[in-house]
Amino acid sequence: MDITPDHLILFRWGFVHLNATIVYTWAVMLLLVLAAWAATRKIRLDGPRSRWQNAMEAIVIGIRSQIREVSGRDGSDDYIPFIGTLFLFIAASNELHVVPGWHAPTGSLSTTGALAICVAVSVPIFGIRKVGLKKYLHHYLSPVFFMLPIHMISEVSRTIALAVRLFGNIMSGSMVVAILLVIAPLFFPVLIQALDLIIGLIQAYIFAILAMVYIAAAVHREDEKPQEQTT
Amino acid sequence: MDSSTWIGIISICAAALCMAIGAISPALGEARAIQQALSSIAQQPDEAGAISRTLFIGLAMIESIAIYCLVISIILIFANPFWSHVIAKSGG
């Protein structure tokens, strides 16, 4: 039994091997781009809105309100492209599990690792852009300078945790279904698969919210100081 | 018994133990978190949104410990590196 779609080679051309992860990632990308194109094709502010535009506005407003609740102040529009893309990509690739024969690209540690590294790189970028390089780096030395290795370890471990959490949830979902197909073939796998859809959506939400929490923690470092002094 | 049999026995026992012990403490932790969150929501229904969002994040953090155990067990059973090393060495 394969625990990751990386080993599933779909196409071989010379030394180029296309595995299932890459192909299904492309499928998700194509689907998202086509949906976005179809929704924004005839966008307009006045008059009756099309269904596509209405759905797209609902999604964007929902994501923005969630981001605003975490980041706490205006300026949430800076994060919508990154966080919203993360959420939509993970949610789409998890929910497409209803398509028979689908291998979710998030069930591979390569995909989730890449997404987690994107988050880990974007945190200092957003932080330095907001509070400046000196203030950002100063956080690593607070409260005392020998906390530096601990801050480093926490950055690395939370990135690994982000990747393994998503991978473990999605991979274990399809694995439990495969094992149940052997034990109780008819009814139970359907229920578990329905549960997997919920878990996939929750994990997409959690991945996006955790990325937002990390970014917000890096961005709001400037107001940590006065709070610490007053208490 | 040769070494591959021992590796098989120990891997399966380690996977079972890892999952069994590793599921206990996250279960207790999640139970406490949900209990606290439910009583907080019952006391302050207005804050239900913020409480449940924080609860979800916390649950994901706690749950990831169990997920690490699950990943290690599944690697031990389905993609055991020691097992494949022995199989490759014996030319199987």
Side-chain angles (χ1 to χ4, degrees):
Chain A
M1 202 185 309
D2 280 337
I3 63 169
T4 156
D6 283 4
H7 299 315
L8 202 66
I9 309 282
L10 291 183
F11 182 70
R12 217 181 274 270
W13 181 60
F15 58 93
V16 182
H17 291 192
L18 270 187
N19 57 31
T21 310
I22 301 178
V23 172
Y24 287 105
T25 307
W26 285 345
V28 174
M29 284 159 58
L30 194 68
L31 194 74
L32 287 180
V33 167
L34 280 183
W37 175 78
T40 55
R41 199 166 34 123
K42 280 186 288 186
I43 204 163
R44 57 183 185 182
L45 285 172
D46 53 337
R49 285 169 289 186
S50 65
R51 285 188 211 174
W52 281 93
Q53 186 184 346
N54 221 344
M56 191 59 91
E57 281 183 5
I59 291 174
V60 170
I61 288 173
I63 293 174
R64 175 155 48 182
S65 75
Q66 288 295 325
I67 290 178
R68 195 161 283 170
E69 281 182 24
V70 175
S71 78
R73 58 176 80 166
D74 49 2
S76 62
D77 286 353
D78 297 348
Y79 314 123
I80 278 194
F82 183 57
I83 305 292
T85 310
L86 277 180
F87 174 74
L88 287 180
F89 176 76
I90 298 173
S93 75
N94 289 347
E95 296 306 297
L96 280 173
H97 218 283
V98 291
V99 178
W102 178 263
H103 296 271
T106 41
S108 142
L109 197 51
S110 328
T111 312
T112 60
L115 293 175
I117 289 173
C118 286
V119 174
V121 170
S122 74
V123 166
I125 291 178
F126 278 118
I128 290 172
R129 200 198 281 168
K130 268 272 160 32
V131 302
L133 182 62
K134 202 175 154 200
K135 233 173 205 167
Y136 180 79
L137 289 181
H138 185 261
H139 162 78
Y140 285 102
L141 300 178
S142 69
V144 275
F145 67 92
F146 57 78
M147 294 294 274
L148 177 66
I150 295 178
H151 281 297
M152 293 297 197
I153 292 172
S154 102
E155 298 243 322
V156 173
S157 77
R158 81 185 185 193
T159 305
I160 296 175
L162 209 55
V164 174
R165 179 181 305 124
L166 185 57
F167 162 70
N169 274 292
I170 307 306
M171 183 268 296
S172 67
S174 50
M175 185 138 271
V176 165
V177 170
I179 292 173
L180 274 182
L181 271 178
V182 180
I183 304 173
L186 209 51
F187 185 58
F188 264 126
V190 179
L191 287 182
I192 296 291
Q193 205 134 27
L195 184 68
D196 274 351
L197 293 182
I198 303 176
I199 288 180
L201 207 56
I202 290 179
Q203 288 303 320
Y205 173 75
I206 282 173
F207 195 98
I209 282 291
L210 277 182
M212 191 58 236
V213 167
Y214 295 155
I215 292 175
V219 164
H220 289 175
R221 264 164 199 176
E222 48 187 336
D223 17 285
E224 276 176 11
K225 278 277 155 155
Q227 276 177 5
E228 279 170 5
Q229 279 164 1
T230 50
T231 50
Chain B
M1 284 192 276
D2 55 342
S3 60
S4 64
T5 317
W6 275 114
I7 288 178
I9 293 173
I10 292 177
S11 302
I12 291 174
C13 289
L17 267 180
C18 174
M19 203 59 241
I21 299 173
I24 292 174
S25 45
L28 291 176
E30 289 200 358
R32 276 193 62 90
I34 292 176
Q35 173 204 4
Q36 282 291 337
L38 280 182
S39 59
S40 318
I41 290 178
Q43 283 172 3
Q44 292 177 314
D46 295 344
E47 295 296 315
I51 292 173
S52 53
R53 196 184 62 247
T54 323
L55 174 71
F56 269 125
I57 298 172
L59 282 188
M61 294 277 192
I62 303 167
E63 193 190 59
S64 60
I65 299 169
I67 294 287
Y68 299 154
C69 292
L70 179 71
V71 167
I72 288 177
S73 319
I74 282 180
I75 285 174
L76 273 179
I77 292 179
F78 292 108
N80 196 328
F82 311 109
W83 179 267
S84 29
H85 174 72
V86 167
I87 294 294
K89 214 165 139 191
S90 67

